[in-house]
Amino acid sequence: MKRFVLMALPLLLAACASRPVTLPFAAPVLARTAIVSAADADGTPLGDPPPVRQLGKRHDVLLLSGGGSVGAFGAGVLVGWTEAGTRPQFDVVTGISTGALMATLAFLGPSRDADLARVYTQISTKEVMKRRGLIGFAKRASLYDRAPLERMIADMVTEQLLDDVAAEHRKGRRLYVGTTNLDNGVATVWDMGRIAASADPGRVQLYRQVLLASAAIPGLFSPVYISQSDGPPAMHVDGGIKQALLFKSYMIDPRGGDEHVWTLVNGRVSYIGNTSLSGSNTGSIIGRSITEMLRSLTYRSVERVYTMARNARAQYHLAFLPDAEAEPSPLLFDPATMQRLFAAGRAIGAKGQWQTEPPRLERYERIEH
């Protein structure tokens, strides 16, 4: 999140948007059953069984981070991976923010690579969002109108797409997306396959809502309200507020013997990301400080996944935007810039340039495999 966005934070406090009492669409029963609620001592979900696996059989988990337009890098990695002929069929796919938008296409496999390439190399900012005026900002508590993004998601998420996801879900594969419930501060995990496989007539709309919520950066886009009970709808926003990567213990099995965790970060993984001095005015200081907090969240999330994977005796793989590549604003959807990022990712995917541990680990952070 760049400085010019963060400077608007004080204004957000003065916005006067109100919570809707009723929604034009509501499927509270489906929403409740689609939320994965870990309730036993090991964190295993009680409502839906974990991914189906055969002990001794290879098991692959793909984690997709947020990053806005920098998701072009991750899309490139997936396409290059397919071209190399080494991309596995993932047993579990998870996504946060832009990673949530990518996750469905990645879950369905190489047959959707053309869609990935199109979305992350050809769209422009106006096809994702448009700036609001002051009146619109005050009413909606957001700098941008998300209507273009809603249309893009509606075009992608069709009855046929959900039928395809449902078919894979019934085979035991799992697709999860993360949002943040701002009302209770909980990082919410949605079982998207369970939504897709439902007979509820509202499945398509709920699926779209969850994807929209996962990418709803507070202040930039209006929150998404989802009915989970008979009471007021819950406010959901970008999953990256609570976690940069979505990974839970029930997604792998240490008894498996051939477990692989693939972490794909749509951006750099670095403690140091600035090449210029910070400005001395209040907006610059606040903006740079929050940017650094988000950078630390990403790095710690990467380390957490590494630790969990190693403790489960799984193979750990990491790909991220190289430091040599310029990292644009995640809000800049410029085709030329995104094509450059896509090409960088494509080269890494084609060559299989995955790291086996996060960069710059200290001695006692490293776990021998």
Side-chain angles (χ1 to χ4, degrees), residues 13-327:
L13 299 177
C16 57
S18 59
R19 178 189 297 267
V21 177
T22 59
L23 299 175
F25 160 81
V29 175
L30 178 57
R32 282 198 303 273
T33 58
I35 294 175
V36 178
S37 179
D40 70 5
D42 295 326
T44 300
L46 298 181
D48 195 22
V52 172
R53 61 172 55 81
Q54 297 177 6
L55 298 185
K57 176 182 176 294
R58 178 174 171 133
H59 184 77
D60 292 275
V61 180
L62 174 67
L63 315 178
L64 300 166
S65 83
S69 63
V70 189
F73 168 77
V77 171
L78 290 168
V79 171
W81 202 355
T82 297
E83 293 170 344
T86 55
R87 175 176 163 182
Q89 181 186 71
F90 304 110
D91 298 274
V92 176
V93 177
T94 79
I96 294 287
S97 196
T98 199
L101 301 181
M102 300 168 59
T104 297
L105 300 178
F107 180 74
L108 293 177
S111 65
R112 298 286 180 162
D113 280 0
D115 295 324
L116 266 176
R118 177 182 55 80
V119 170
Y120 284 99
T121 63
Q122 297 180 21
I123 64 171
S124 60
T125 301
K126 67 180 181 181
E127 294 171 276
V128 179
M129 56 192 172
K130 65 179 181 178
R131 187 179 289 274
R132 295 188 188 278
L134 290 177
I135 295 177
F137 168 76
K139 288 183 176 180
R140 299 293 184 178
S142 63
L143 290 171
Y144 294 95
D145 183 350
R146 69 182 189 216
L149 178 60
E150 288 187 70
R151 288 192 291 269
M152 186 173 72
I153 291 175
D155 288 341
M156 180 183 81
V157 179
T158 62
E159 292 279 357
Q160 182 58 59
L161 181 131
L162 262 63
D163 286 345
D164 294 342
V165 171
E168 297 305 313
H169 178 80
R170 295 187 183 102
K171 294 176 184 177
R173 299 176 64 216
R174 292 292 179 265
L175 172 61
Y176 301 108
V177 161
T179 66
T180 300
N181 183 330
L182 271 190
D183 290 328
N184 58 21
V186 170
T188 304
V189 180
W190 297 87
D191 187 335
M192 304 304 283
R194 195 166 197 184
I195 296 175
S198 170
D200 192 299
R203 64 173 188 146
V204 172
Q205 185 64 23
L206 179 60
Y207 200 104
R208 292 171 178 172
Q209 282 189 312
V210 173
L211 293 186
L212 186 62
S214 187
I217 304 171
L220 296 185
F221 295 116
S222 300
V224 177
Y225 293 95
I226 301 177
S227 293
Q228 299 168 206
S229 67
D230 295 332
M235 179 189 292
H236 286 265
V237 297
D238 194 328
I241 300 301
K242 298 288 288 189
Q243 52 190 345
L245 294 159
L246 173 54
F247 187 51
K248 300 293 184 181
S249 295
Y250 56 80
M251 297 176 184
I252 52 175
D253 189 339
R255 302 171 299 165
D258 195 10
E259 306 277 317
H260 294 258
V261 177
W262 305 88
T263 302
L264 184 45
V265 178
N266 291 304
R268 293 175 178 168
V269 177
S270 173
Y271 276 132
I272 302 174
N274 302 310
T275 57
S276 61
L277 296 176
S278 176
S280 57
N281 61 67
T282 302
S284 295
I285 293 171
I286 292 175
R288 182 65 67 91
S289 298
I290 295 178
T291 297
E292 291 309 314
M293 285 192 288
L294 293 175
R295 188 189 310 282
S296 294
L297 174 63
T298 297
Y299 195 89
R300 290 307 176 191
S301 293
V302 168
E303 282 191 322
R304 173 180 174 273
V305 172
Y306 164 76
T307 300
M308 291 176 67
R310 288 295 201 216
N311 283 336
R313 299 190 296 277
Q315 297 290 329
Y316 175 83
H317 314 272
L318 171 66
F320 53 89
L321 186 69
D323 288 345
E325 290 288 337
E327 185 177 22

